[in-house]
Amino acid sequence: MTAGTDSFGREHFEAAVEAARRGLAGGGVPVGAALERHGRLLAAAHNGRVQAGDPTAHGEIACLRAAGRQADYTDTVLHTTLAPCAMCTGAILQFRIPTVVVGEAETFGGELDLLRGRGVRVVLLNDRRCVDLMREFQRTRPALWAEDIGA
């Protein structure tokens, strides 16, 4: 599903893209995420598995951690540069995040059908910057990509 930008802040997706670039610059996996509520950025973070030595520090999980404890997530939007994996999808479902803005699902399909099947609105942007960033990473760091995605 593709939707207009009226229900989420495009600048918050840009925060996710910048986070992905920071993650790559730091030697890690270029996946970034940002969490917004009513147009206000709560947090942005990148995949930090390499940097933190934490196998669960995917971009979406790191973003949720950075946002801190929230009493309710049902009025938030999660932006991510790459389709969420099974672990990150589980967190989205657990916290009942209603909308996920996804930069791309070309290099990794993730669990978009599961999210949609559970009533999550998925906005797929097909952002070429995200595709190009991930393709280059997958080409130059295939072992790290396989480690990150559990392949």
Side-chain angles (χ1 to χ4, degrees):
M1 171 189 303
T2 303
T5 58
D6 56 304
S7 62
F8 63 89
R10 181 66 186 204
E11 68 274 15
H12 303 312
F13 177 73
E14 294 304 319
V17 172
E18 285 306 311
R21 289 180 177 143
R22 281 193 309 276
L24 181 62
V29 181
V31 176
L35 186 67
E36 79 168 276
R37 173 178 283 127
H38 304 298
R40 185 172 73 83
L41 182 66
L42 298 177
H46 60 77
N47 181 308
R49 291 184 73 251
V50 171
Q51 297 89 330
D54 178 352
T56 66
H58 283 204
E60 299 89 338
I61 302 298
C63 181
L64 291 170
R65 285 181 183 143
R69 182 176 164 205
Q70 304 290 314
D72 185 22
Y73 293 85
T74 60
D75 59 351
T76 63
V77 175
L78 181 68
H79 303 260
T80 181
T81 58
L82 184 65
C85 71
M87 178 179 66
C88 297
T89 293
I92 292 163
L93 295 174
Q94 176 70 29
F95 296 118
R96 297 186 326 266
I97 296 171
T99 302
V100 178
V101 177
V102 178
E104 67 104 351
E106 186 176 315
T107 64
F108 177 71
E111 298 293 338
L112 299 183
D113 288 341
L114 176 57
L115 288 170
R116 289 180 184 117
R118 295 285 297 271
V120 175
R121 177 178 175 230
V122 175
V123 179
L124 181 57
L125 300 178
N126 296 311
D127 189 293
R128 292 311 308 171
R129 297 169 305 165
C130 296
V131 172
D132 293 345
L133 192 64
M134 186 54 69
R135 282 212 190 285
E136 180 64 14
F137 171 76
Q138 290 170 334
R139 185 185 68 74
T140 60
R141 308 283 308 271
L144 182 55
W145 172 242
E147 174 190 323
D148 185 69
I149 211 61

